[in-house]
Amino acid sequence: MQKVCLENAIINDLRVTGLIRVLNLGFEKLVQVRYTTTEWAAYTDLNADYVPSSCDGFSDKFSFNLHLPHLSPGQRLAFAVRYLANGQEFWDNNSSENYVLKCQAKTPEQESTTGVNGPRWLHHFM
C-alpha cells in the first residue's frame, strides 16, 4: 500500500501548488517536496503544510507552494515527495521518474494576452 502520493499539482506561470495525501501512520508527520532546477546537482527540501480539517481517519492532506521566478525557458523543475512518520521514510517519486516540468517561452499568441503593464506571463511550464 502506498503511504504517500501527490494528489494534484496546479501550474500557474512560474508557480506550482499541490496537494499531497499521506496515510495516517501517527500524529507527528513531516511531509516535504524535494526539488531541483539543476538536474540534482543541488536540491531544496520544502516543508508542506497540513491542510486543516483534512484528516478522514485514514489519511491527511498537506499542501505546498513552489515559486520559481528564476527559471528560464528550457530549464526543468524535477521534484519528488517525502513523508516521514514513526521513524519511517516513504517517497512518491513518480515510479522512480520524478515529477518533471519544463519551462517554455510563451508563444506570440500567448504574449498577445496582456495585462495593464504588458504581458501577464513571461514564461510558463509545459
Side-chain angles (χ1 to χ4, degrees), residues 10-59:
I10 299 169
I11 303 151
N12 185 2
D13 198 20
L14 293 175
R15 184 177 302 276
V16 180
T17 58
L19 286 176
I20 301 163
R21 185 167 295 272
V22 300
L23 192 62
N24 194 355
L25 298 177
F27 180 76
E28 291 190 31
K29 301 170 182 70
L30 176 63
V31 180
Q32 297 178 313
V33 175
R34 179 169 287 180
Y35 69 95
T36 183
T37 58
T38 61
E39 303 298 326
W40 300 108
Y43 63 84
T44 302
D45 287 331
L46 173 71
N47 289 346
D49 297 315
Y50 174 72
V51 176
S53 303
S54 67
C55 182
D56 60 8
F58 181 70
S59 65

Side-chain angles (χ1 to χ4, degrees), residues 2 4 32 34 45 80-83 89-94:
Q2 192 171 351
V4 57
Q32 297 178 313
R34 179 169 287 180
D45 287 331
V81 177
R82 179 180 184 217
Y83 171 40
E89 180 179 66
F90 306 97
W91 288 89
D92 178 5
N93 60 4
N94 193 25

Side-chain angles (χ1 to χ4, degrees), residues 6 8 13 16 23 25 29 34-35 49 52 55-56 69 86 88 98 102-104 106 108 111 113 115-116 120 123 126:
L6 177 66
N8 70 34
D13 198 20
V16 180
L23 192 62
L25 298 177
K29 301 170 182 70
R34 179 169 287 180
Y35 69 95
D49 297 315
C55 182
D56 60 8
N86 290 339
Q88 300 176 73
N98 294 317
K102 185 176 179 184
C103 184
Q104 298 288 336
K106 287 287 192 177
E111 290 292 346
T113 305
V116 175
R120 286 192 208 136
H123 311 297
M126 295 294 285

